[in-house]
């Protein structure tokens, strides 16, 4: 998690380093959680990894963080079946 300005650049740099070292980094799941979607994170975090990596998923969630993050955590825990049924 990070800022909409710095994080996409850090993410792209990490992908570039992995590629230059021949490290297979996919499949990867990326997400952009924002109240308003912006071009840079949408392209560089959500769309670009999906085009490059086999089986990768990019997710764009638009909404208030205080609502979206708890829902995201609950969804991941449910998918992992943490705590049993």
């Amino acid at each position: 998690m990070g800022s909409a300005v710095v994080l996409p650049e850090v993410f792209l740099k990490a992908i570039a380093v992995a590629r230059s070292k021949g490290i297979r980094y996919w499949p990867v799941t990326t997400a952009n959680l924002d109240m308003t979607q912006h071009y840079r994170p949408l392209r560089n975090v959500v769309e670009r990894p999906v085009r490059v990596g086999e089986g990768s998923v990019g997710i764009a969630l638009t909404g208030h963080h205080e609502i979206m993050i708890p829902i995201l955590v609950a969804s991941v825990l449910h998918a992992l079946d943490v705590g049993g049924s």
Side-chain angles (χ1 to χ4, degrees):
M1 292 189 183
S3 80
V5 176
V6 176
L7 186 62
E9 299 305 318
V10 171
F11 176 73
L12 287 177
K13 188 62 75 174
I15 294 296
V17 169
R19 282 186 190 154
S20 69
K21 294 190 172 282
I23 298 170
R24 185 178 186 271
Y25 63 88
W26 61 85
V28 64
T29 299
T30 63
N32 179 35
L33 284 73
D34 211 338
M35 289 177 54
T36 57
Q37 294 297 325
H38 300 281
Y39 176 82
R40 184 179 304 254
L42 187 62
R43 291 283 180 260
N44 293 340
V45 175
V46 175
E47 293 177 2
R48 190 169 286 164
V50 174
R51 285 194 314 250
V52 174
E54 301 166 6
S56 294
V57 177
I59 303 166
L61 299 174
T62 306
H64 293 275
H65 292 102
E66 61 271 17
I67 297 169
M68 298 302 290
I69 292 175
I71 290 172
L72 177 63
V73 170
S75 298
V76 169
L77 292 176
H78 176 75
L80 295 174
D81 195 30
V82 174
S85 299

